[in-house]
Amino acid sequence: MKDQAERLREKVRRSQGAAVARTIAVTSGKGGVGKSNVALNLALSLMERGKRTLLFDLDLGFANLDVLLGYTPRLTLIDMVEKGLSLDDVIERGPYGLELISGGSGLGSLFHLDQGQINDMLDKLDTLSKRLDYIILDTGAGLSAESLRLMLAVDDIWLVTTPEPTSMTDAYGVIKALCKYNGEINLHVIVNRCYTPVEGVRTARRLQTVAKQFLNKEIRYLGYLPNDPSVHQAVLSQTPFIKLFPACQAAQAIAVLTARYLNQPLQDNARREGRGLRSFFKQLIAPFLQKGTG
Ligand SMILES: Nc1ncnc2c1ncn2[C@@H]1O[C@H](COP(=O)(O)OP(=O)(O)OP(=O)(O)O)[C@@H](O)[C@H]1O
Ligand SMILES: [Mg+2]
C-alpha cells in the first residue's frame, strides 16, 4: 500500500516536469558522527526499494566511502572534465551495483576550468540527473564556504548528530548558518549512536525547539540509529552494515529511516524547480562564474 502511494507521488513529481533526481546532502557539524555510514547504507537501502540511486563522495581529501566499501574508484569528476572523459567513464559501478562518483581531491579544481569545460560538465550531469531518482552526497563536516554552498544547492539535507552536547551544538551551528542564507531549506535530523529510542527523540526535540525559538525554523526528525557494535564490525570488514548484518539493529533503523523519508510528503520549496545536479553544480561554481571568467 505504502509502495503504491510512493510510486504515485513519484509519478506526479515526474509528470510535473521535475523529472530530475532529488539531491540529498548528508552532513554534520561535528566530524566522525556517522555521516559516511548513513550515506552509504541509506543509498543501498534506497536501491533495495527499487530507487535508482547514485552516491557522490564529496568528503574531499578523505576517501571515506572507498574505505567503507573496500572499493576505490579509478577516476573522479575532475578527471572527467580535465581529460574530456564521458560521464560513464567516471561513474563506477561498485559493489552491490551501487553507482558511485568520487568528487576527486578537491572541488577547488573546478574553479580552474574554462567556461567550455564547465558547460560540458553541466550537460553531462544533466543527463545523469534525468535517469536517477536520488543522488546522495556524502559531505565533510563543518562549515567551510564550499560545504555551505553545497548544502544550499541540494533538495534535502540530512543532518547527522549524536546525542552528545558537542555534536548537537555543532549541528545547531550548521542549521543557523544555513538559515541565514535560506530559511526555506529542507532540514531532516538523524540522531546516530543512541542507546535508547528516547535518546533520539529527546536529542531531536532539543534541536527542534532551539531552531524554532531562535530561528523560527521547523526541522523534521527522520529518526535515530542505535549505537550498534555491528557498525564497527562492518567498518572493520569494509562492508556496509546493512549488507554484512542485514538483521542488526542499525540495519533495521536504516530501513525505518528510508521508509519514513520515502513516505513523507515532498517538501518542494519554491526553489525546487530547475533543481537537480546541473543547478546544484552551477550554484557551487557560481563565485567563479561571477568573476567574469566565463
Ligand atoms: N550507529 C553506530 N554504532 C556504532 N558505531 C558507529 C555508529 N555510527 C558510526 N559509528 C562509528 O563511528 C565511526 C565514524 O563513522 P563515519 O565514518 O560514518 O563518520 P563521519 O561522520 O562520516 O566521519 P567524518 O566526519 O570523518 O567524515 C565509524 O567508523 C564507526 O566505528
Ligand atoms: Mg565521512
Side-chain angles (χ1 to χ4, degrees), residues 98-153:
L98 178 65
E99 292 191 73
L100 281 165
I101 299 187
S102 165
S105 57
L107 281 185
S109 330
L110 289 178
F111 296 86
H112 302 299
L113 303 176
D114 66 33
Q115 189 57 43
Q117 288 174 311
I118 288 173
N119 287 342
D120 184 49
M121 181 185 76
L122 292 176
D123 286 344
K124 286 170 174 169
L125 290 168
D126 225 9
T127 313
L128 172 68
S129 193
K130 281 182 184 146
R131 70 164 181 79
L132 291 167
D133 297 313
Y134 292 96
I135 295 167
I136 300 187
L137 305 118
D138 182 21
T139 75
L143 283 171
S144 66
E146 207 171 58
S147 75
L148 260 185
R149 266 208 302 280
L150 193 142
M151 286 188 265
L152 288 165

Side-chain angles (χ1 to χ4, degrees), residues 28 30-38 59 64 68 138-141 192-193 225-229 231-232 235 250:
S28 69
K30 194 169 179 284
V33 296
K35 289 178 299 296
S36 298
N37 272 285
V38 166
D59 193 356
N64 274 220
L68 292 181
D138 182 21
T139 75
N192 190 21
R193 307 199 76 162
L225 284 165
N227 192 70
D228 184 345
V231 176
H232 177 65
V235 172

Side-chain angles (χ1 to χ4, degrees), residues 249-277:
Q249 285 191 333
Q252 290 176 32
I254 285 284
V256 172
L257 290 187
T258 312
R260 202 171 288 162
Y261 179 71
L262 289 176
N263 286 312
Q264 71 183 355
L266 283 172
Q267 292 175 298
D268 283 356
N269 61 39
R271 300 176 60 211
R272 169 80 181 107
E273 274 166 48
R275 283 271 167 133
L277 214 50

Side-chain angles (χ1 to χ4, degrees), residues 162-163 191-204 221 223-228 249 253:
T162 68
V191 187
N192 190 21
R193 307 199 76 162
C194 294
Y195 286 89
T196 60
V198 172
E199 203 172 28
V201 176
R202 264 194 214 133
T203 305
Y221 175 43
Y224 79 100
L225 284 165
N227 192 70
D228 184 345
Q249 285 191 333

